Amino acid sequence: LENELLYGVPFEMSEQAQSKEFVIPIGKAKIERQGTHVTLVAHSRPVGHCLEAAAVLSKEGVECEVINLRTIRPMDIETVEASVVKTNHLVTVEGGWPQFGVGAEVSARIMEGPAFNYLDAPAVRVTGADVPMPYAKILEDNCIPQVKDIVFAVKKALNI
């Protein structure tokens, strides 16, 4: 499924991606930004917010590894596990409600898998508010995760 809020968002396309032979592998996440302090995992629109938050945090000396899941079923948990082993911290970001969300699934798989032993702090989830989506723009902006919310969550995970 695609997020209609991305329709008006411009972004760069590589020459390779514009080729007719280019195929995005199903079930393979993409590391959008390398980092060493914390792993940010997202899909769809929140990936852009994670990249913005990573840029803000970089100015403060915190290097975030940003993972774009690209697909959630199948989910490339191996890429997330490898990143968590490297950074020792996990923050998931999604626009949906917290209950039954993708972030809950990623957190559960990390907690139940081999990467759990590498975590230095509990995983932190950044999600949409658990309310019906409002129509007013200002309320909508307060219901879905923003860059400031991701920055706050990373600082919470790192205890800074």
Side-chain angles (χ1 to χ4, degrees):
L1 298 175
E2 57 192 17
N3 189 321
E4 68 274 0
L5 296 175
L6 287 175
Y7 289 166
V9 178
F11 53 90
E12 298 207 14
M13 294 279 295
S14 68
E15 289 292 325
Q16 178 188 14
Q18 295 182 44
S19 165
K20 289 183 181 187
E21 289 80 36
F22 180 74
V23 177
I24 294 176
I26 299 295
K28 184 67 181 142
K30 180 180 180 190
I31 298 175
E32 299 282 353
R33 179 185 173 121
Q34 294 286 336
T36 55
H37 295 113
V38 63
T39 299
L40 296 176
V41 179
H43 69 286
S44 190
R45 187 171 183 236
V47 173
H49 292 328
C50 287
L51 290 169
E52 288 179 45
V56 169
L57 288 160
S58 180
K59 293 176 185 171
E60 299 179 28
V62 177
E63 293 302 322
C64 303
E65 183 146 296
V66 179
I67 297 178
N68 180 353
L69 289 175
R70 297 199 289 198
T71 61
I72 55 176
R73 187 175 171 105
M75 183 182 291
D76 182 7
I77 202 65
E78 292 81 16
T79 298
V80 178
E81 285 175 338
S83 180
V84 169
V85 166
K86 179 170 82 170
T87 67
N88 306 112
H89 294 89
L90 172 65
V91 174
T92 65
V93 184
E94 66 181 304
W97 295 315
Q99 192 170 1
F100 312 117
V102 174
E105 180 64 21
V106 170
S107 297
R109 289 199 190 184
I110 293 301
M111 297 295 199
E112 295 169 353
F116 172 75
N117 294 320
Y118 292 87
L119 284 174
D120 288 342
V124 177
R125 293 185 297 149
V126 180
T127 67
D130 198 4
V131 299
M133 183 57 75
Y135 182 75
K137 175 78 172 122
I138 190 148
L139 293 176
E140 179 182 314
D141 288 344
N142 283 298
C143 283
I144 55 177
Q146 303 296 322
V147 172
K148 66 179 175 51
D149 303 316
I150 299 167
V151 169
F152 179 81
V154 167
K155 290 181 176 183
K156 177 181 173 184
L158 295 176
N159 199 27
I160 57 174

